Amino acid sequence: MSEFRLLHTMLRVMDMDTSVDFYTRLLGMKLLRRTDYEGGRFTLAFVGYGEESDTAVLELTHNWDQKEPYEIGTAYGHIALGVPDIYATCEKLAAEGVKIPRAPGPMKHGTTVIAFIEDPDGYKVELIEKK
């Protein structure tokens, strides 16, 4: 077994408060830490379902001087979250105004039930039903 471990994935965000709200209130993560770096003019927030010492987390980076939305790029795919009832989850998220570009249902050529939502910056988040 490797001594390496995945620590985090970083996403650049335009509005830190909106993004923290999305990942914590709507997707149930906890805000683990948030730090402003005055000299570098940026803020980092780490959110996740467990402590950084045990699980991989999401690092949200807000560069204070960024005026235009980021281009997500063609190499970026998505992050994936396991959810117990994907249909109820998507109903609740839709009621909050979350974009759902792929409604819940079985994936093509398979039986796994998935959906895709978008965070406030347009990053794709795949939801996978876990029973």
Side-chain angles (χ1 to χ4, degrees):
M1 183 163 175
S2 176
E3 292 182 20
F4 291 12
R5 184 174 72 83
L6 181 64
L7 298 178
H8 66 261
T9 297
M10 185 271 268
L11 299 176
R12 290 180 178 88
V13 302
M14 287 297 294
D15 182 320
M16 183 62 83
D17 292 332
T18 299
S19 293
V20 167
D21 179 67
F22 176 83
Y23 285 102
T24 58
R25 185 174 64 84
L26 298 180
L27 296 185
M29 294 183 187
K30 294 184 294 186
L31 176 61
L32 303 170
R33 60 187 168 105
R34 180 176 174 158
T35 307
D36 291 329
Y37 294 87
E38 295 276 341
R41 302 193 46 75
F42 67 95
T43 300
L44 300 181
F46 290 80
V47 296
Y49 293 111
E51 297 302 318
E52 291 176 79
S53 59
D54 302 323
T55 62
V57 300
L58 190 59
E59 173 190 342
L60 305 175
T61 300
H62 174 244
N63 293 298
W64 301 353
D65 299 322
Q66 182 70 25
K67 303 295 183 227
E68 298 295 321
Y70 290 100
E71 291 184 27
I72 293 174
T74 58
Y76 177 78
H78 60 270
I79 62 172
L81 304 178
V83 299
D85 181 343
I86 199 166
Y87 295 96
T89 299
C90 286
E91 271 185 40
K92 289 177 188 173
L93 293 172
E96 291 282 348
V98 173
K99 291 181 186 174
I100 304 175
R102 201 275 195 198
M107 62 183 277
K108 289 182 182 178
H109 313 293
T111 58
T112 303
V113 179
I114 66 169
F116 277 92
I117 64 172
E118 290 183 6
D119 84 351
D121 290 279
Y123 292 109
K124 299 286 189 278
V125 178
E126 181 181 15
L127 302 179
I128 301 172
E129 187 163 72
K130 297 291 182 191
K131 294 188 180 213

